[in-house]
């Protein structure tokens, strides 16, 4: 076979693969439960576990699809769910490939459970081999912090040796490791566990020490959670308020770029503030520390948006204006921010909203800064929302002329390979108007 033929076949294969992948994303596979069975297991005098076995069929599978839990490629699988007493089910504690002709009956004895003497941990085995260790809080489904083989071996050994920590400590250790939202998104079962906790529980104090971690902050965002704690646990309320004052104060005094731990602490503190502490604290004292840093750091946005129609003090407005202009005009400064794109978007919104509509020269400087090549190449939403869309209704004739002039210059700087879709669409409006006017002039008699 010639090299040219090989290239043709490779090209056809790649096109087919791309079309197939597009189909998978547009029409995702669907899971059907063909059959199910439940079996009760007496663990001890106080606890009964229910194992639910489901025979699954996955339709519209592509060659890229795998079962989410166990990574199998078969179209059929057996899924095991666990319920302890009258608690909610913990879904998919174990899965394995199966055949179309399999029956749940043949697998009903494959999974076994052991409960610890303190009734706080469950060891799950499949055909005698440990597959996970679950932990039991006062409320909610049992939860697992095992996500690697080395962790499974460590936890199952600790179960047998009766050396496992308390469920509260294990969950706290896990939360401390979760540094990013991506890690959190990969473990929704922990979120369900945190959601289930009510009243006063040991996690309240333990997770207060971890504010700034995504899962700890999530725990305190539950509606009414902080208000309840403030009402029923005065010691927690006092400690939480002290953390807010301390952490936002440290952040307000921090030099740029802000150290990661300072930023993390301030993020957690503001989360506590906006989700329940704001009405119990000196609100203005916190705002005076946070607002002058808007929109440099993501946590400042939550305080800025706390009031729908905010009235800024003159010193706060000057500081925010200074920050916004520096974000647009100083690339090195901008790159050191935690989220440069969001900061630019917020800066544009502020500078347009709080502009002096009688100072044409200042407005022109702002528009020049916004329509820089580096700024336009970012994925921004506020150029459209704050400038292009309300162009005819928000801006004066002079301001419109400035915007249009800078937009045309920016389009020339970008070139065809770096086109900004929103900018291009905006300028097309005026091309049509110009063409229509030219045609009309030609038709008019001299």
């Amino acid at each position: 076979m010639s090299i040219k033929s090989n290239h043709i076949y490779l090209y056809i294969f790649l096109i087919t693969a791309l079309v197939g992948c597009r189909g998978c994303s547009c029409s995702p596979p669907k899971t059907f439960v063909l059959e199910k069975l439940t079996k009760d297991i007496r663990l001890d005098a106080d606890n009964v576990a229910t194992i639910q076995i489901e025979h699954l069929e996955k339709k519209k599978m592509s060659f890229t699809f795998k079962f989410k839990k166990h990574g199998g490629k078969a179209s059929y699988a057996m899924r095991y769910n666990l319920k302890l007493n009258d608690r909610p089910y913990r879904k998919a504690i174990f899965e394995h490939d199966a055949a179309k002709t399999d029956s749940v009956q043949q697998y009903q004895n494959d999974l076994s459970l052991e409960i610890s003497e303190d009734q706080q941990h469950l060891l799950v085995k499949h055909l005698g081999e440990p597959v996970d260790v679950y932990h039991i809080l006062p409320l909610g489904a049992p939860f697992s912090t095992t996500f690697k083989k080395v962790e499974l071996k460590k936890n199952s050994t600790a179960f047998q040796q009766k050396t496992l920590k308390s469920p509260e400590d294990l969950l706290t250790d896990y939360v401390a490791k979760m540094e990013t939202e991506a890690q959190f998104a990969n473990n929704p079962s922990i979120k369900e566990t945190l959601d289930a906790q009510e009243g006063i529980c040991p996690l309240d104090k333990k997770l207060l020490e971890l504010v700034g971690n995504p899962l700890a902050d999530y725990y305190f965002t539950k509606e009414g959670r902080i208000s309840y704690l403030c009402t029923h646990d005065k010691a927690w309320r006092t400690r939480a308020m002290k953390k807010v004052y301390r952490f936002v104060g440290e952040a307000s005094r921090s030099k740029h770029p802000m150290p990661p731990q300072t930023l993390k602490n301030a993020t957690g503190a503001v989360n506590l503030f906006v989700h329940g502490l704001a009405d119990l604290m000196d609100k203005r004292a916190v705002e005076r520390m946070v607002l002058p840093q808007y929109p440099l750091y993501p946590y400042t946005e939550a305080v800025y948006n706390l009031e729908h129609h905010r009235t800024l003090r003159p010193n706060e407005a000057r500081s925010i204006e200074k920050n916004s202009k520096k974000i647009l005009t100083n690339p090195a400064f901008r790159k050191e921010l935690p989220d440069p794109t969001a900061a630019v978007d917020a800066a544009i919104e502020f500078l347009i909203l709080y502009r002096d509509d009688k100072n044409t020269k200042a407005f022109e400087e702002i528009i020049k800064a916004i329509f820089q090549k580096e700024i336009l190449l970012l994925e921004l939403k506020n150029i459209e929302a704050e400038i292009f869309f309300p162009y005819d209704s928000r801006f004066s004739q002079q301001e419109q002329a400035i915007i249009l002039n800078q937009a045309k210059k920016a389009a020339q700087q970008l070139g065809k390979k770096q086109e900004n879709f929103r900018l291009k669409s905006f300028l097309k409006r005026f091309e049509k108007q110009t063409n229509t006017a030219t045609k009309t002039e030609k038709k008019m008699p001299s």
Side-chain angles (χ1 to χ4, degrees):
M1 187 180 289
S2 68
I3 294 176
K4 186 175 180 180
S5 298
N6 279 329
H7 284 170
I8 292 172
Y9 282 115
L10 177 61
Y11 178 78
I12 293 170
F13 171 77
L14 289 173
I15 292 296
T16 304
L18 287 171
V19 172
C21 291
R22 174 183 283 186
C24 295
S25 61
C26 295
S27 301
K30 293 183 180 180
T31 302
F32 297 90
V33 179
L34 303 179
E35 185 186 13
K36 67 171 61 175
L37 172 149
T38 57
K39 178 183 178 180
D40 290 340
I41 301 174
R42 171 64 65 177
L43 300 172
D44 60 16
D46 302 314
N47 295 283
V48 175
T50 301
I51 297 294
Q52 183 184 71
I53 308 173
E54 297 176 310
H55 189 195
L56 306 178
E57 180 183 11
K58 188 73 69 168
K59 290 194 173 181
K60 296 185 178 178
M61 286 180 62
S62 73
F63 60 87
T64 60
F65 178 79
K66 292 183 180 180
F67 269 101
K68 194 178 288 185
K69 180 74 176 176
H70 69 285
K73 297 181 180 180
S75 298
Y76 299 89
M78 287 292 167
R79 178 169 67 194
Y80 301 80
N81 307 316
L82 168 67
K83 183 172 77 168
L84 180 63
N85 302 321
D86 58 354
R87 295 167 183 253
Y89 267 106
R90 174 60 68 224
K91 295 287 187 178
I93 63 167
F94 187 66
E95 285 182 358
H96 61 74
D97 286 349
K100 182 179 181 180
T101 55
D102 282 352
S103 169
V104 292
Q105 304 289 336
Q106 70 192 79
Y107 295 105
Q108 62 179 313
N109 297 318
D110 287 1
L111 218 63
S112 59
L113 302 172
E114 294 178 40
I115 193 167
S116 60
E117 287 183 8
D118 60 10
Q119 299 182 335
Q120 292 189 330
H121 311 282
L122 283 172
L123 176 63
V124 182
K125 293 182 178 179
H126 178 255
L127 298 176
E129 291 296 320
V131 294
D132 215 335
V133 179
Y134 283 82
H135 317 288
I136 307 164
L137 285 169
L139 295 169
F143 70 94
S144 168
T145 59
T146 307
F147 296 95
K148 296 178 181 177
K149 286 185 178 180
V150 64
E151 293 170 347
L152 171 60
K153 185 176 180 180
K154 178 183 175 182
N155 289 342
S156 59
T157 300
F159 178 93
Q160 300 291 357
Q161 295 175 350
K162 303 177 184 179
T163 56
L164 279 169
K165 294 182 180 179
S166 70
E168 291 85 359
D169 285 339
L170 288 168
L171 186 54
T172 301
D173 290 345
Y174 180 83
V175 171
K177 295 176 184 177
M178 294 294 104
E179 295 290 340
T180 67
E181 288 292 339
Q183 289 171 298
F184 169 67
N186 289 334
N187 190 21
S189 66
I190 294 293
K191 172 188 170 184
E192 292 175 12
T193 298
L194 294 173
D195 283 341
Q197 306 314 305
E198 296 176 355
I200 302 298
C201 74
L203 286 175
D204 302 330
K205 293 179 181 179
K206 292 177 182 293
L207 297 189
L208 183 60
E209 301 307 310
L210 296 176
V211 292
N213 288 66
L215 282 170
D217 289 349
Y218 175 84
Y219 179 71
F220 293 116
T221 60
K222 186 176 180 180
E223 187 176 356
R225 183 69 193 156
I226 292 176
S227 297
Y228 178 87
L229 290 172
C230 287
T231 303
H232 296 85
D233 190 341
K234 292 182 180 179
W236 185 94
R237 180 183 66 192
T238 300
R239 189 162 183 78
M241 288 180 177
K242 285 182 178 178
K243 280 189 177 293
V244 173
Y245 285 127
R246 175 189 164 192
F247 288 156
V248 298
E250 289 174 353
S252 70
R253 297 186 294 271
S254 176
K255 293 181 179 180
H256 181 83
M258 186 181 290
Q261 188 61 47
T262 305
L263 175 62
K264 180 179 175 180
N265 290 343
T267 300
V270 166
N271 183 69
L272 294 175
F273 180 72
V274 300
H275 285 98
L277 290 180
D279 294 333
L280 302 173
M281 298 179 65
D282 185 343
K283 196 173 180 181
R284 269 300 184 184
V286 175
E287 290 180 342
R288 279 195 293 270
M289 289 186 279
V290 175
L291 292 178
Q293 293 183 311
Y294 180 79
L296 301 179
Y297 306 105
Y299 72 88
T300 62
E301 183 179 3
V303 175
Y304 180 80
N305 291 331
L306 203 55
E307 289 183 18
H308 184 61
H309 298 289
R310 174 169 292 285
T311 302
L312 291 168
R313 295 183 175 187
N315 64 317
E316 293 168 348
R318 285 193 295 271
S319 181
I320 295 173
E321 182 182 16
K322 182 181 176 182
N323 294 340
S324 298
K325 289 179 178 178
K326 194 169 185 178
I327 288 168
L328 292 172
T329 58
N330 189 329
F333 177 84
R334 185 170 63 243
K335 288 176 183 177
E336 289 178 330
L337 295 174
D339 191 342
T341 301
V344 170
D345 249 335
I348 291 171
E349 182 182 38
F350 178 85
L351 291 172
I352 295 298
L353 185 63
Y354 286 90
R355 75 191 187 282
D356 181 357
D357 55 10
K358 294 180 181 179
N359 190 335
T360 306
K361 185 177 181 181
F363 180 76
E364 186 170 12
E365 290 301 314
I366 290 170
I367 297 300
K368 278 183 180 179
I370 293 171
F371 282 84
Q372 295 176 89
K373 182 178 179 179
E374 283 190 2
I375 300 298
L376 289 171
L377 289 175
L378 298 173
E379 289 295 324
L380 302 173
K381 61 180 181 181
N382 278 339
I383 289 182
E384 173 73 25
E386 303 296 333
I387 300 176
F388 292 156
F389 181 75
Y391 173 80
D392 299 309
S393 58
R394 169 176 278 179
F395 303 103
S396 66
Q397 292 296 322
Q398 281 185 311
E399 290 174 330
Q400 288 182 31
I402 291 169
I403 293 169
L404 183 58
N405 183 45
Q406 292 302 320
K408 289 178 178 178
K409 288 182 178 179
Q412 291 176 349
Q413 290 177 354
L414 286 173
K416 291 184 179 181
K417 291 184 178 180
Q418 298 175 320
E419 281 183 347
N420 180 290
F421 173 76
R422 293 181 176 88
L423 176 64
K424 187 177 180 181
S425 299
F426 172 72
L427 291 175
K428 275 189 175 181
R429 287 162 53 185
F430 301 98
E431 288 178 15
K432 290 180 180 178
Q433 292 176 9
T434 303
N435 292 337
T436 302
T438 304
K439 290 178 181 178
T440 302
E441 287 178 6
K442 288 181 178 179
K443 289 180 180 180
M444 291 178 64
S446 56

